Amino acid sequence: MAHKQYQNLIGGQWLPSVSGKTFQNINPADHSDILGTFPSSNAEDVALAVAAAKKAFATWRLVPAPKRAEILYRAGQLLAERKEQFAREMTREMGKVLAETRGDVQEAIDEAYYVAGEGRRLFGQTTPSELANKFAMSVRMPVGVVGMIAPWNFPMAIPSWKLFPALVSGNTCVIKPAEDTPLSTYNLVQTLIDAGVPAGVINIVSGFGPEAGAPLVEHPDVRAISFTGSSAVGSIIGQRASANFKPVSLEMGGKNAMIVMDDANLELALEGALWGAFGTTGQRCTATSRILLHKSIAAEFTQKLVARAAALKVGNGLEEGIEVGPQVNSDQIATSTKYVAIAEAEGAKILTGGKALTEAPYANGTFFAPTVIGSVTPSMRIAREEVFGPVVALIEFNTFEEAIEIANSIDYGLSTSLYSRDVNRAFTAMRDLEAGITYINAPTIGAEVHLPFGGVKQTGNGHREGNGAIDFYTIWKAVYFDYSDTLQRAQIDNAE
Ligand code: UN1
């Protein structure tokens, strides 16, 4: 059967790549299921897309923000109507279970309604001038053409975190979806077009980082870059963008700790640990990848966690009852496998899982057994480096202070969690955990769109998605209006 051929979207037209090259979008749970072929784009395609976005900016920036917002609101409504179809396609293209892909589409719906409200805010300030009969204010201006490079793990939600605030602010966009998940971005963008986004305002170039991502970052007409992905790639993008003084928003890795105190509700912590570590097959930048256990509850908690992890139903996320889907591709399987070996070599113990699942019914996909690693010390690589798979490391501690120290002892700082019923400790953790997000009595995942999302240290460079994104997609302009009919020299005519 011929596969459906998807095209780039450039200036409102669906076009093949200039080179004619394509790549396939393959279901990680069943490699015989091909979702379609997509253009493998290069610098020429990027140049066409940027030119279209630049042209569209001239008119889009003048559309009143509340009108731009109405289009986003309509897109939210259409996404809600299409939720089930888009969730199913997303499970097929990247593997996570249907309940979670429904959640991913829902997050884009939430973002649409949240950002639509911003269209009637976008507030600036007014302030008295130091001179008589002079008015002063600050206004938010769009940045221009924004380049976006998106990850595969939240293939509709994360593009929506980027596109919607950029659009409501009056920018035009060129987005490169992750090569593993272009279809969900196409579905999102098609919905925006159906809702009324004019031609050229959003452009898609699908393809790979070196061929399509790099020219987008470097194109002189692209005024800002928003990237979500690994710290290794983010570092390169940050440097290249900064060389041209482009603002760049980087959302990157995590090694997120959950601390379980001796006074915690252990059943609640157990449920949280399973969801945080193995939800999305551990492929979230916010995934719970370290569980810090107070010595007095460590043995009991470990035994229960291992039993529950071993019993998780792994399989095709479209099937009823499946709790953990495949990893997105064989590279991710290789990374999980590598880190299990590194952990063992450093003296940690594999308590369950630890290997790829290759026998029937797993033979046609990229599956990895939910893995719990015990006897981990804070200096081991498995305690410090991101795996991005269904692999969780258990570390024991004696005191609350020691737990905070271990949690903070890594290079990343995205999400953290404390399970305790001691309110003083909860407030201390909220203050002292070095991370952009702290949960109390909930796992490290589950961010809501109207709060700031982002990290500290090697997780990010200080920008925020969700609440805070408008700050990235607008630039302040100061406006002075003199109605005195005289030349008034600031700092001079009004000086003593
Ligand atoms: C990610 O971890 O890659 O907070 C994004 C969450 C989701 C978004 C996660 N709302 O778990």
Side-chain angles (χ1 to χ4, degrees):
M1 196 184 80
H3 305 304
K4 184 159 181 197
Q5 267 197 295
Y6 292 86
Q7 313 287 24
N8 283 332
L9 178 63
I10 296 178
Q13 285 187 294
W14 296 98
L15 299 173
S17 63
V18 172
S19 72
K21 282 194 192 148
T22 61
F23 63 95
Q24 288 189 325
N25 186 355
I26 301 168
N27 181 341
D30 175 3
H31 290 168
S32 67
D33 179 23
I34 313 287
L35 285 93
T37 61
F38 289 78
S40 185
S41 309
N42 64 22
E44 287 183 88
D45 304 292
V46 169
L48 292 172
V50 173
K54 190 177 176 185
K55 183 160 173 256
F57 180 64
T59 44
W60 181 245
R61 73 185 184 91
L62 301 178
V63 175
K67 289 284 166 217
R68 296 192 295 249
E70 278 170 28
I71 296 175
L72 294 180
Y73 191 86
R74 176 80 188 122
Q77 291 174 315
L78 289 176
L79 284 171
E81 285 168 20
R82 301 171 185 183
K83 180 172 169 179
E84 189 61 21
Q85 179 210 332
F86 287 174
R88 286 182 178 274
E89 289 189 337
M90 195 188 296
T91 294
R92 279 176 62 210
E93 88 166 340
M94 63 73 69
K96 64 186 173 186
V97 301
L98 203 45
E100 291 190 39
T101 51
R102 288 183 185 127
D104 196 311
V105 180
Q106 185 59 47
E107 200 159 333
I109 298 166
D110 297 344
E111 178 77 4
Y113 293 155
Y114 168 55
V115 172
E118 291 300 313
R120 285 191 182 271
R121 283 185 283 269
L122 292 180
F123 297 130
Q125 300 117 2
T126 59
T127 180
S129 164
E130 65 188 42
L131 296 160
N133 295 327
K134 193 167 181 181
F135 185 85
M137 62 186 159
S138 64
V139 291
R140 289 182 182 274
M141 305 297 284
V143 176
V145 178
V146 182
M148 301 168 174
I149 299 177
W152 46 261
N153 66 336
F154 276 81
M156 190 170 287
I158 292 182
S160 83
W161 297 357
K162 299 184 188 306
L163 288 167
F164 296 177
L167 293 172
V168 85
S169 304
N171 302 286
T172 57
C173 312
V174 177
I175 185 165
K176 187 194 91 61
E179 57 268 24
D180 284 298
T181 56
L183 180 55
S184 294
T185 302
Y186 277 65
N187 285 339
L188 178 67
V189 170
Q190 181 65 59
T191 304
L192 283 159
I193 289 165
D194 296 343
V197 172
V201 170
I202 307 177
N203 304 273
I204 307 179
V205 283
S206 65
F208 295 80
E211 295 83 26
L216 184 58
V217 171
E218 280 169 6
H219 197 295
D221 288 336
V222 173
R223 296 277 186 246
I225 295 288
S226 177
F227 167 77
T228 301
S230 71
S231 295
V233 174
S235 166
I236 298 168
I237 290 178
Q239 290 177 49
R240 291 197 186 171
S242 301
N244 295 307
F245 313 111
K246 272 180 210 182
V248 53
S249 168
L250 303 170
E251 294 291 351
M252 300 169 293
K255 190 74 193 176
N256 312 291
M258 168 191 289
I259 300 172
V260 185
M261 291 304 300
D262 48 352
D263 67 347
N265 175 340
L266 287 191
E267 285 306 314
L268 184 70
L270 187 62
E271 294 298 331
L274 286 160
W275 173 229
F278 302 119
T280 323
T281 319
Q283 301 172 126
R284 294 196 194 207
C285 34
T286 49
T288 304
S289 52
R290 297 182 290 160
I291 304 180
L292 279 42
L293 297 169
H294 190 277
K295 274 244 158 58
S296 66
I297 51 94
E300 180 192 349
F301 190 91
T302 301
Q303 185 221 333
K304 286 187 175 166
L305 179 67
V306 168
R308 291 283 301 275
L312 286 169
K313 291 196 183 63
V314 180
N316 186 327
L318 285 178
E319 285 169 23
E320 200 67 37
I322 294 297
E323 294 164 297
V324 180
Q327 288 213 254
V328 76
N329 59 35
S330 53
D331 285 350
Q332 296 302 129
I333 295 285
T335 305
S336 297
T337 307
K338 178 182 94 176
Y339 273 101
V340 166
I342 290 170
E344 273 188 306
E346 289 192 331
K349 297 210 163 34
I350 312 308
L351 303 177
T352 183
K355 54 184 186 320
L357 299 168
T358 52
E359 307 288 312
Y362 302 116
N364 269 342
T366 42
F367 293 93
F368 201 87
T371 300
V372 180
I373 305 185
S375 306
V376 174
T377 60
S379 62
M380 291 180 183
R381 288 181 64 190
I382 193 65
R384 315 185 69 78
E385 296 174 24
E386 185 172 50
V387 179
F388 225 70
V391 177
V392 66
L394 308 185
I395 303 172
E396 297 186 15
F397 66 85
N398 290 300
T399 64
F400 174 69
E401 291 70 27
E402 188 190 346
I404 298 279
E405 202 180 303
I406 296 170
N408 290 344
S409 70
I410 52 156
D411 292 333
Y412 294 113
L414 182 52
S415 187
T416 44
S417 141
L418 173 76
Y419 279 80
S420 170
R421 284 183 279 204
D422 179 331
V423 73
N424 294 347
R425 281 186 176 142
F427 269 87
T428 305
M430 283 152 55
R431 184 193 61 198
D432 290 347
L433 285 169
E434 293 171 3
I437 307 171
T438 293
Y439 291 90
I440 305 296
N441 293 325
T444 57
I445 65 177
E448 302 173 26
V449 298
H450 56 297
L451 279 88
F453 185 93
V456 300
K457 301 200 271 187
Q458 302 231 339
T459 294
N461 61 345
H463 295 289
R464 290 292 180 264
E465 300 197 285
N467 181 354
I470 297 289
D471 292 331
F472 182 72
Y473 293 109
T474 56
I475 193 149
W476 286 115
K477 180 171 204 171
V479 178
Y480 302 89
F481 192 113
D482 195 317
Y483 54 101
S484 68
D485 257 347
T486 49
L487 172 66
Q488 302 194 83
R489 297 174 301 171
Q491 296 94 36
I492 295 174
D493 291 336
N494 56 338
E496 290 300 310

